[in-house]
Every structure is written in structure tokens, then in C-alpha cells.
């Protein structure tokens, strides 16, 4: 019997799993993208200095260590050929560690105080080995120039324990978890000689080999420690945390790293904070992307008029994950538009502009998929469901660019472990590659 999944598709899915495993936070995701781009000749540009760009040059900029915009300068006139952009986001729903996080429990246990980030499915985080990742801010030579160190624990550190069914007998009938009470992870058992204050800071200092007093602050998040894997009788599914939206970040970075210079400027924008509204200096609602695009034109000695001309010749693919037909809840999708796993990328449509797609931009994406020989699907919410949104509509309020919202279909979106299709990941990467080279 011929295998449903090719070796190439499986190998590319494994690359995605490796990328996700090395990207437990948005800060690590940016580092992962840089590791893909730098060997291909991409150079970092500092925002504080004047940019000197050359035709065909490969560059990237970062903001807050958690957002990145990379681009290959076009060889044609920018006011004539514009930009081909792919937008995605580096963050995922989860839990952030609060300041002074240690909470002792009756002198026996020590748990950590956390704040919910975005909209995770809470019960999926219970009873799983979890760990901590993010960045640590250390004292620097100047108060305005602290040192920044990435941190990722190399072992599981915490777990959020469920309450036994004997003490919560209606748990299987539906039970609302309280984010402040029920979702606090257990860190350690209190034993003789273990200080309850500053335990986490002490652990961080020991790991970083620095004095405790040099740690000024941190941005730390919980993440599932267990690596994702391929599942299914034919190994056709990807089971992993943070598919939303690291799958699109990985596919976009792969496509840009392989892209050859062409007439238009090819751009990949990886924003942060999509899961909580994008309203930060590194989010899609910021001027980050607009400023980068305008600075590209200025570095090429073009004026503001040429910048607006370039935007008029540009196209944005807003790439975020989409909902697939659920085998146990088939009634939740639109009666007609019913994307499935491994059925190809999904065009997301909303009459109320939750997505930026219109008939023209959808047609553009369909044509690109046809050129890449990739099937395409469409998603529309049930008329009695509001549904979510993404970076597309937010970006459109800042940039006058034609745009389409798309994504690969997944199940269990915002679970600690989502489920995608192996065939879909290589398919969308090939579509992105086609997009970057198609005039």
C-alpha cells in the first residue's frame, strides 16, 4: 500500500517539532527564526542607527526580543513592485509568573503565583510536567542598558495537580476552574533549610551563575515540557503545543530563508502579543511593521510618496491557524465550509471583518496555491457563532495593503497540546515559497 504521508512531509513535520521544542517562549521563537535566517546571509539591523541597504540584501530587525521582521530587498523599483509580506505571531496562550511568586501552603508545599496569558483551555494544563522559560533581566553597566539572558529550564519544574474525583464528584459534569485558585503550579515541598522567600530567584541565579542581587526582573512563562510527536495510524497528525502560531512562523521563516531575490521585497513579520490583543510596541497594532517598511524605502533613497506607491503594489498573507472539523463535535462548523486536517491551507472569511479576506484577496491566494499544486479550503464561522480574529484586521488598520487571512487547520486550538496535519505543514511552506517568487 502506498503511504499516505511522504518521507519529505514527515521530515518537514519533524523539523517543525524541533523548532517548537526549542521555542518554549516568544523570546526563544525569535532566536529560533534567527538560527534559520543567519546561515542564509541575513544580517541584523539596529533600530538606533542609519540603515545602509543594498539590492538583494537580506536583513532582519527585532523588538523586545520577542518580535522579528526579516526581509530580502527587491531588485526592482519598490514603488513599482512593492512588498510581499507574510505575518504571523510568536506567542501562545499560557501562564506568566507573577512578581514575588512564592506562596507557601500550610508549611508543607510551595506553589507559584501565575497570571493567565491569552485564552488557554485551562483543564489541558493540569497533571502535566511543566517547566519555565522566558528571559531574565540582569544588572548592566547603565540603568538603561540591562543585560538580557534567555532562560529555559532543562528539566520539568512544576505541575498543576487536579483535585481527586472523590473530592470533586461532579468534575465530569462540568467544572469551572478558578484561574487564581486552581491553576497555581506546585514547585516544591518545604523541607528544613529551604527558604520560602526568593526560592525562584535563587534557582535562576544558580542556573545563570550570577549573584541573586543582579537579577532585576524576569518575563517567565509556563510551558509543557514533553516534546510534540507524530500520531495516527499513518503518522499523519502532529500533536504539539504552540502550533498556533509557531507552525506559521516556522513555515514562513523556512520559505524566506530559501527565497532568492526578485523584483519585489519579500518580508516576514513575526509579531508578539496576538493572543492578548496585539496592543504592545511589538504587537501587530503597533507601528513596528509600518516603520520598518518606510525605513526600507528611505534607505533606498525614496521619498514618502514612493512608500505609499509601494504599499499600493503590496500584498499581505496574515497566517494564523484555522479550525478543522472536529470528529466529536461536527455540528460546530458551518454546514458547508468544513476544513479537515491534511486538506490543505484554509482561507478564513468573515462578513463582519474578523478576517481581512475579501473575494479578490481570496482569489489571489487560491491562484498561488494552484501554482504550488496545493489544495485549498475555506472557513466561515457558523452564523450563530462569533469566532476569533487575528493580526490581519489589526495590520490593515495601519497599512493600506491588500490582505488575506489564512492558516493551517488544527483541532483543540489553545489547548496545551493541539493537533495538526503532517501534509499541511509542508503544503503551506510550499505556498509561502511560491508567494515570495510570484509577481
Amino acid at each position: 500500500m502506498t503511504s499516505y504521508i511522504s518521507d519529505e512531509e514527515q521530515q518537514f513535520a519533524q523539523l517543525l517539532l524541533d523548532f517548537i521544542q526549542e521555542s518554549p517562549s516568544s523570546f526563544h521563537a525569535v532566536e529560533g527564526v534567527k538560527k534559520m535566517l543567519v546561515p542564509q546571509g541575513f544580517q541584523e539591523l539596529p533600530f538606533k542607527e542609519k540603515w545602509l541597504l543594498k539590492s538583494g540584501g537580506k536583513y532582519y530587525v527585532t523588538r523586545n526580543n520577542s518580535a522579528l521582521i526579516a526581509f530580502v530587498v527587491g531588485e526592482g523599483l519598490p514603488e513599482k513592485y512593492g512588498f510581499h509580506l507574510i505575518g504571523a505571531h510568536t506567542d501562545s496562550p499560557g501562564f506568566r509568573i507573577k512578581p514575588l511568586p512564592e506562596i507557601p501552603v500550610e508549611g508543607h508545599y510551595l506553589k507559584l503565583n501565575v497570571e493567565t496569558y491569552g485564552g488557554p483551555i485551562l483543564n489541558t494544563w493540569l497533571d502535566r510536567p511543566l517547566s519555565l522559560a522566558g528571559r531574565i533581566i540582569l544588572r548592566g553597566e547603565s540603568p538603561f542598558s540591562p543585560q538580557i539572558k534567555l532562560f529555559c529550564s532543562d528539566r520539568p519544574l512544576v505541575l498543576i495537580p487536579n483535585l481527586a474525583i472523590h473530592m470533586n464528584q461532579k468534575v465530569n459534569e462540568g467544572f469551572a476552574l478558578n484561574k487564581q485558585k486552581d491553576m497555581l503550579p506546585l514547585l516544591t515541598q518545604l523541607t528544613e533549610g529551604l527558604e520560602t522567600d526568593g526560592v525562584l530567584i535563587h534557582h535562576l541565579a544558580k542556573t545563570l551563575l550570577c549573584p541573586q542581587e543582579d537579577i532585576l526582573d524576569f518575563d517567565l512563562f509556563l510551558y509543557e515540557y514533553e516534546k510534540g510527536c507524530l500520531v495516527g495510524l499513518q503518522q499523519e497528525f502532529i500533536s504539539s503545543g504552540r502550533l498556533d502560531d509557531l507552525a506559521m512562523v516556522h513555515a514562513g521563516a523556512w520559505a524566506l530563508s530559501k527565497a532568492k531575490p526578485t523584483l519585489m521585497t519579500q518580508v516576514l513579520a513575526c509579531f508578539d502579543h496576538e493572543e492578548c490583543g496585539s496592543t504592545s510596541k511589538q504587537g501587530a497594532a503597533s507601528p513596528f511593521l509600518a516603520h520598518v517598511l518606510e525605513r526600507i524605502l528611505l534607505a533606498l533613497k525614496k521619498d514618502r510618496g514612493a512608500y505609499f506607491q509601494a504599499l499600493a503594489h503590496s500584498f499581505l498573507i496574515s497566517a494564523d491557524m484555522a479550525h478543522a472539523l472536529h470528529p466529536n463535535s461536527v455540528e460546530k462548523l458551518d454546514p458547508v465550509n468544513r476544513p479537515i486536517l491534511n486538506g490543505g491551507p484554509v482561507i478564513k472569511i468573515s462578513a463582519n471583518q474578523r478576517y481581512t479576506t475579501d473575494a479578490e484577496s481570496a482569489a489571489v491566494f487560491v491562484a498561488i496555491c494552484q501554482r504550488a499544486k496545493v489544495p485549498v479550503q475555506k472557513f466561515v464561522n457558523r452564523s450563530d457563532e462569533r469566532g476569533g480574529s487575528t493580526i490581519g484586521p489589526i495590520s490593515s488598520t495601519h497599512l493600506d495593503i491588500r490582505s488575506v487571512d489564512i492558516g493551517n487547520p488544527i483541532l483543540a486550538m489553545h489547548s496545551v497540546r493541539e493537533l495538526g496535519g503532517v501534509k499541511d505543514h509542508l503544503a503551506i511552506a510550499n505556498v509561502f515559497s511560491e508567494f515570495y517568487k510570484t509577481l
Side-chain angles (χ1 to χ4, degrees):
M1 184 179 70
T2 304
S3 177
Y4 175 56
I5 304 297
S6 71
D7 290 343
E8 184 183 13
E9 289 167 335
Q10 280 203 357
Q11 290 166 7
F12 196 62
Q14 287 290 352
L15 290 177
L16 170 61
L17 291 174
D18 293 342
F19 176 77
I20 291 175
Q21 180 70 6
E22 295 170 4
S23 305
S25 73
S26 56
F27 310 107
H28 291 84
V30 165
E31 287 300 309
V33 172
K34 288 161 64 172
K35 288 178 183 178
M36 297 174 70
L37 297 179
V38 170
Q40 302 303 319
F42 284 79
Q43 305 172 49
E44 184 167 11
L45 294 171
F47 254 106
K48 296 179 179 180
E49 297 178 12
K50 185 176 180 179
W51 291 359
L52 299 174
L53 307 182
K54 63 180 181 179
S55 175
K58 300 178 178 182
Y59 308 95
Y60 70 90
V61 294
T62 64
R63 177 159 288 175
N64 191 55
N65 311 113
S66 62
L68 175 147
I69 296 175
F71 56 92
V72 180
V73 178
E75 296 177 330
L77 294 172
E79 63 269 33
K80 182 177 180 181
Y81 294 100
F83 305 97
H84 278 198
L85 306 101
I86 295 171
H89 63 89
T90 59
D91 61 319
S92 300
F95 298 88
R96 177 175 171 167
I97 309 300
K98 290 183 178 180
L100 305 175
E102 296 88 358
I103 300 178
V105 181
E106 297 188 5
H108 299 295
Y109 305 122
L110 194 67
K111 60 185 179 181
L112 295 180
N113 198 9
V114 297
E115 180 179 7
T116 304
Y117 176 80
I121 301 177
L122 298 179
N123 61 13
T124 64
W125 286 79
L126 302 178
D127 305 320
R128 292 176 180 268
L130 306 172
S131 205
L132 302 179
R135 65 176 180 176
I136 314 297
I137 311 301
L138 303 174
R139 192 183 313 278
E141 294 182 3
S142 161
F144 294 99
S145 301
Q147 297 181 58
I148 298 173
K149 299 283 188 181
L150 293 192
F151 174 84
C152 179
S153 176
D154 59 359
R155 60 188 174 93
L157 279 179
V158 297
L159 185 141
I160 306 172
N162 227 317
L163 184 62
I165 194 170
H166 313 80
M167 301 175 182
N168 185 14
Q169 295 186 12
K170 294 186 177 181
V171 63
N172 291 329
E173 300 172 22
F175 176 72
L177 293 165
N178 183 288
K179 296 176 183 177
Q180 183 59 62
K181 173 183 176 294
D182 300 315
M183 301 309 297
L184 303 187
L186 176 65
L187 175 64
T188 191
Q189 187 139 26
L190 291 177
T191 55
E192 186 176 350
L194 182 68
E195 295 289 336
T196 59
D197 294 332
V199 168
L200 181 59
I201 293 293
H202 176 75
H203 173 74
L204 297 176
K206 183 178 179 181
T207 304
L208 295 177
L209 303 177
C210 72
Q212 284 186 231
E213 55 270 22
D214 281 358
I215 298 179
L216 302 180
D217 212 334
F218 53 76
D219 292 311
L220 290 177
F221 296 82
L222 300 184
Y223 77 94
E224 185 197 19
Y225 185 78
E226 185 180 354
K227 185 178 180 178
C229 62
L230 302 186
V231 300
L233 184 63
Q234 303 172 83
Q235 296 285 277
E236 66 267 52
F237 304 127
I238 304 172
S239 171
S240 176
R242 304 186 299 285
L243 289 176
D244 174 18
D245 190 33
L246 293 187
M248 297 296 97
V249 171
H250 177 260
W254 177 86
L256 189 65
S257 72
K258 305 294 183 184
K260 292 181 170 51
T262 185
L263 292 173
M264 64 279 186
T265 295
Q266 304 142 317
V267 183
L268 173 67
C270 302
F271 298 106
D272 193 7
H273 295 147
E274 188 275 345
E275 298 294 355
C276 59
S278 296
T279 53
S280 67
K281 66 183 183 300
Q282 54 272 8
S286 74
F288 182 31
L289 178 57
H291 286 178
V292 169
L293 298 183
E294 187 168 3
R295 287 196 65 172
I296 292 173
L297 269 290
L298 293 173
L300 297 175
K301 299 185 173 17
K302 302 292 181 178
D303 59 20
R304 193 161 173 79
Y307 169 63
F308 288 116
Q309 285 180 273
L311 296 184
H313 287 284
S314 299
F315 195 93
L316 167 67
I317 294 178
S318 168
D320 205 350
M321 304 305 269
H323 299 295
L325 175 70
H326 195 291
N328 299 332
S329 299
V330 296
E331 75 282 358
K332 289 295 184 178
L333 281 190
D334 178 78
V336 177
N337 299 281
R338 304 169 74 76
I340 61 170
L341 300 180
N342 290 311
V346 179
I347 299 173
K348 301 190 285 186
I349 302 166
S350 168
N352 294 303
Q353 298 304 297
R354 302 289 289 175
Y355 306 119
T356 60
T357 308
D358 56 32
E360 181 189 7
S361 63
V364 170
F365 187 75
V366 168
I368 294 168
C369 289
Q370 290 173 344
R371 290 176 68 112
K373 295 181 172 54
V374 168
V376 65
Q377 309 180 87
K378 291 185 178 180
F379 172 84
V380 187
N381 280 303
R382 283 177 56 103
S383 297
D384 54 0
E385 295 281 356
R386 184 164 182 239
S389 188
T390 184
I391 62 173
I394 296 170
S395 298
S396 291
T397 62
H398 295 269
L399 290 169
D400 184 13
I401 294 178
R402 289 188 298 165
S403 178
V404 63
D405 268 293
I406 64 96
N408 272 349
I410 60 171
L411 297 174
M413 187 180 291
H414 288 196
S415 170
V416 73
R417 206 169 180 95
E418 299 160 327
L419 191 71
V422 169
K423 297 180 76 68
D424 291 330
H425 190 55
L426 181 59
I428 194 63
N430 287 334
V431 171
F432 288 167
S433 288
E434 190 66 36
F435 172 68
Y436 276 142
K437 67 184 181 184
T438 301
L439 290 173

